[in-house]
Amino acid sequence: MINTVKIDLHLHTNKSDGTLSPSEIVKLSFTKGLKVIAITDHDTTNGIDEAYEAIAKYSEMTLIPGIELSVDIPGGEIHLLGYFINIYDKSFQKRIEEFRISRVNRAKSIVEKLNHLGLTISWDEVKEVGKDAAIGRPHIAQVLVNKKYIKYPKEAFDRYIGRLGPAYVDRPKLSAEKAIKILLDNGAVPVLAHPFFMFTKKDKFNISQIKKIITKLRSYGLMGIETYYGKHTPNEVSYLQNLCEELNIIPTGGSDFHNSGNPNEQKPGDVGPPMTTYTKLKEFHLNIKQKK
Ligand code: AMP
Ligand code: ZN
Ligand code: FE
Ligand code: FE
């Protein structure tokens, strides 16, 4: 079915924890009727070149090079999306390479913890699933599925490797202020991902905490909020629309598609922002570049 949504600004490939290649994501997005897509892999831009090559076949489609960074805030973790990333920025690439290395070390510690729990998987098996990707917990989850310990990857998070699970391991992450600065220095537009799915040590943040966090991020230079998101309720969407207006920033959105194999996963184009979002993102990006 062709969607009415024309933009999807949150897509993962197998260069991080998605399971489709960049070309496959582009092709699927085309069949869904999308006109503008952003590839936003975790801590890597290694899928961008292939995505550009693939999208060149579809003259009416546009690619925004993006990224998703994980960030520590007091009491939890948030995700930042960066749009119009300059992938040729050497110091930026060095930074994200460090994050990918820390992902490997952390995955090895998680494997050890799982072994102690009696789930016998190895780092080699994780590496075989992840291949050249930025390694993430979904790769570990997939190994657990392959070895029939669980049925769906999501179960691994619920039972073992979620923030409160017995095999959870943290990794060093940037502060929000630093991450936003790194994105702006690169020329990228910093956007808060899925604000109602920020991760705390205990539960989800409540609405007044969310507003406080966003206002703080705005003071560091945040330029958008991922408003249109599959798991946001209509009330949450309209709350964020109003907040974007109040703070004079851009409401963005997307499916956060990983092709994970979990039930009820949002597909490309199932959710996304209006076309005006694309125009505004471009404007904000040009403003950053002109200031540099
Ligand atoms: P990591 O980057 O290694 O911390 O893993 C985070 C990724 O795991 C997210 O981007 C999602 O793709 C996935 N994830 C996080 N929480 C869950 C969950 N509860 N169920 C399924 N996948 C999840
Ligand atoms: Zn992910
Ligand atoms: Fe995320
Ligand atoms: Fe994501």
Side-chain angles (χ1 to χ4, degrees):
M1 197 185 73
I2 298 264
N3 293 295
T4 52
V5 170
K6 297 291 170 213
I7 310 190
D8 191 325
L9 299 177
H10 196 155
L11 298 165
H12 292 274
T13 78
N14 60 4
K15 299 295 174 187
S16 70
D17 56 5
T19 69
L20 296 184
S21 70
S23 325
E24 287 168 329
I25 289 279
V26 168
K27 197 170 164 196
L28 179 60
S29 301
F30 171 75
T31 64
K32 297 283 186 177
L34 288 166
K35 300 287 183 231
V36 179
I37 60 168
I39 302 284
T40 53
D41 275 317
H42 300 278
D43 297 339
T44 184
T45 60
N46 289 346
I48 302 296
D49 278 342
E50 185 185 322
Y52 268 126
E53 228 169 85
I55 213 163
K57 284 197 227 92
Y58 308 105
S59 58
E60 68 282 30
M61 283 180 81
T62 302
L63 176 73
I64 301 179
I67 197 155
E68 183 168 17
L69 301 175
S70 310
V71 163
D72 269 331
I73 57 164
E77 171 182 341
I78 63 170
H79 291 176
L80 289 175
L81 295 159
Y83 292 114
F84 295 103
I85 287 273
N86 170 12
I87 63 171
Y88 303 106
D89 174 346
K90 287 206 177 86
S91 84
F92 182 81
Q93 288 296 347
K94 194 159 171 286
R95 283 318 272 261
I96 57 177
E97 191 185 348
E98 285 162 12
F99 301 152
R100 294 198 296 272
I101 293 168
S102 95
R103 285 178 165 279
V104 167
N105 295 330
R106 183 250 203 152
K108 287 177 178 169
S109 308
I110 292 178
V111 166
E112 260 179 47
K113 279 197 164 186
L114 288 169
N115 289 168
H116 285 300
L117 293 167
L119 301 156
T120 49
I121 67 165
S122 67
W123 162 246
D124 285 349
E125 289 167 323
V126 177
K127 180 74 191 145
E128 200 166 315
V129 166
K131 300 201 170 66
D132 63 345
I135 293 295
R137 283 177 287 165
H139 298 119
I140 299 173
Q142 189 56 49
V143 173
L144 292 171
V145 171
N146 294 350
K147 298 192 87 172
K148 308 264 191 308
Y149 283 115
I150 52 175
K151 194 151 179 228
Y152 299 111
K154 193 183 173 322
E155 233 183 298
F157 288 85
D158 297 340
R159 291 172 59 182
Y160 307 112
I161 59 177
R163 242 193 132 83
L164 302 175
Y168 180 75
V169 178
D170 217 342
R171 66 185 169 90
K173 289 186 286 293
L174 291 168
S175 69
E177 188 173 11
K178 194 93 191 264
I180 288 175
K181 184 171 185 308
I182 287 174
L183 289 171
L184 289 171
D185 284 348
N186 171 280
V189 183
V191 168
L192 174 65
H194 41 68
F196 284 90
F197 293 87
M198 297 191 276
F199 311 99
T200 68
K201 301 247 162 25
K202 292 201 194 80
D203 203 355
K204 283 182 13 175
F205 287 104
N206 66 39
I207 195 117
S208 81
Q209 288 170 312
I210 288 174
K211 179 154 189 193
K212 235 169 132 182
I213 293 165
I214 291 176
T215 309
K216 192 88 194 165
L217 296 176
R218 178 71 179 121
S219 77
Y220 300 145
L222 188 81
M223 294 180 168
I225 304 174
E226 191 173 50
T227 300
Y228 306 92
Y229 191 70
K231 292 189 217 154
H232 286 168
T233 66
N235 274 343
E236 288 169 346
V237 171
S238 83
Y239 175 80
L240 294 172
Q241 281 169 329
N242 290 332
L243 193 56
C244 282
E245 263 186 44
E246 192 186 317
L247 298 174
N248 194 26
I249 56 179
I250 315 166
T252 74
S255 60
D256 204 357
F257 179 64
H258 287 74
N259 199 43
S260 63
N262 283 319
N264 305 322
E265 187 182 10
Q266 297 281 316
K267 303 282 187 303
D270 281 357
V271 55
M275 216 21 130
T276 46
T277 288
Y278 173 53
T279 324
K280 285 187 204 152
L281 275 177
K282 265 201 299 197
E283 243 172 62
F284 278 52
H285 170 56
L286 285 178
N287 284 342
I288 301 170
K289 284 219 300 198
Q290 274 157 10
K291 278 198 199 131
K292 281 172 45 154

